[in-house]
Amino acid sequence: MINLEWYRSFLMVYRSGTVSGAARALFLTQPAVTQHIAALETALGEPLFQRTPRRMIPTTRGKALYSQVVQALETLERVTQEAQNMQVEPPLLRCGSSREYFSEVVLPHIRKLPYRLWLQFSETPSLIENLEREKLDIVLASQQIASHGVEYHKVDEEHFLLVGPPDLKVPGTENSIVNGMQLETLEQWLSTQKWISYGVELPIIRRFWQQCFGKRPTFQAKFVIPDLRLIIKMIEEGEGLSVLPDYLCRQAREAGRLQVIWEPSKRVTNELWLAYRRIDRNDTKIRSIRRILQQTYI
């Protein structure tokens, strides 16, 4: 009789692509997982994977077996997880995100979930690295970092605005861009202004500039401040211009503490993603996060 653990090891190797990844997910040793796969192949009489130095590649028989057993095994996993979540102590959700986006947009929704929350704020590449190392459960990512073991699900779009102090006089008629000559004039004027950037390489400003003017900006920022809220404060005090996401500018804009200098007709946007390990796609916590983000489309 075939042992159910053999199928569980097969499923995890199939999803993660490696014996080591499956072993971590199952809290087993690599030799144990290897033995499970070998035993299952012996019982079925056919190889299920092609072994390579870096990956376990499913054979045609392996792909067929996965299709046959995956639904039944996922049902068993879900029943087990739901039973575990009935414990008195709420399960822990380890989340990585940018500080501003999480506090302004995500927190009102995610705090409704029945989990203890542990947060890590940093830039997307380092957060994805921690996700791969199983130090985080989910990441709200501003870009997709290539990784075989990570799956991405789009949850939102950031919309960027060019903003400045409320009393700044902008050349042109009612800040509108009517033709190519006015666009060129605006570019020249903007290039002479003081700029406040999130990073030395003008990460947000550069993207805005390339989409609007078709080239990279040639100026350097007067202030480099890796804190978007502090950038808003500097703008309110008349220290320069910047490009910021609309959700972060809303209150200051409505209160008249800053002005939108230019909102291009073709919006400058950035997609935001919920990232999680592929082997955890059916985890109860991941399913809950995806459901609440889909309902609100943050």
Side-chain angles (χ1 to χ4, degrees), residues 51-237:
R51 278 74 169 170
T52 70
R54 290 178 174 268
R55 295 189 52 72
M56 298 280 281
I57 302 174
T59 62
T60 300
R61 182 66 179 94
K63 293 177 181 178
L65 180 63
Y66 180 83
S67 299
Q68 291 173 324
V69 304
V70 62
Q71 185 173 354
L73 291 175
E74 287 179 349
T75 299
L76 287 174
E77 289 175 356
R78 186 167 63 253
V79 170
T80 300
Q81 290 168 358
E82 289 173 352
Q84 292 172 342
N85 289 341
M86 294 176 66
Q87 301 172 6
V88 175
E89 184 76 8
L92 175 65
L93 176 66
R94 301 169 300 171
C95 175
S97 177
S98 67
R99 185 184 305 273
E100 296 85 4
Y101 182 75
F102 187 89
S103 61
E104 292 290 329
V105 182
V106 180
L107 184 58
H109 304 287
I110 204 171
R111 68 184 180 188
K112 300 174 183 177
L113 296 174
Y115 304 130
R116 292 177 294 133
L117 190 60
W118 185 87
L119 300 176
Q120 180 180 348
F121 296 130
S122 187
E123 296 183 356
T124 293
S126 63
L127 293 175
I128 294 298
E129 183 177 344
N130 282 339
L131 180 66
E132 293 173 325
R133 294 179 177 178
E134 301 185 19
K135 294 182 179 180
L136 292 171
D137 300 312
I138 63 169
V139 169
L140 291 155
S142 59
Q143 61 186 115
Q144 295 188 74
I145 307 295
S147 172
H148 172 76
V150 175
E151 189 166 278
Y152 294 88
H153 181 79
K154 182 179 175 181
V155 294
D156 201 359
E157 283 187 356
E158 292 180 299
H159 171 209
F160 293 102
L161 305 172
L162 172 57
V163 295
D167 57 351
L168 181 67
K169 301 301 181 183
V170 183
T173 303
E174 297 181 351
N175 298 354
S176 62
I177 307 302
V178 180
N179 53 50
M181 179 62 69
Q182 287 182 319
L183 186 63
E184 182 179 354
T185 300
L186 179 67
E187 180 192 358
Q188 293 173 353
W189 177 77
L190 289 173
S191 297
T192 65
Q193 301 303 301
K194 296 184 298 182
W195 284 86
I196 310 170
S197 176
Y198 187 82
V200 175
E201 297 182 352
L202 312 178
I204 304 176
I205 298 170
R206 185 178 67 248
R207 177 169 187 166
F208 188 93
W209 207 269
Q210 287 177 322
Q211 179 169 320
C212 295
F213 301 116
K215 63 182 76 169
R216 296 172 64 93
T218 57
F219 54 81
Q220 296 294 318
K222 181 177 180 181
F223 301 102
V224 175
I225 305 174
D227 186 314
L228 297 182
R229 289 197 183 91
L230 187 53
I231 290 178
I232 288 181
K233 186 174 186 298
M234 294 285 282
I235 293 173
E236 293 174 351
E237 295 176 357

Side-chain angles (χ1 to χ4, degrees), residues 246-273:
D246 58 350
Y247 65 82
L248 201 61
C249 302
R250 190 173 297 115
Q251 289 186 356
R253 181 181 181 182
E254 293 174 353
R257 298 194 303 269
L258 61 72
Q259 65 168 310
V260 176
I261 294 174
W262 187 25
E263 184 173 0
S265 56
K266 182 180 180 181
R267 287 186 164 191
V268 180
T269 61
N270 181 54
E271 295 178 329
L272 297 169
W273 306 84

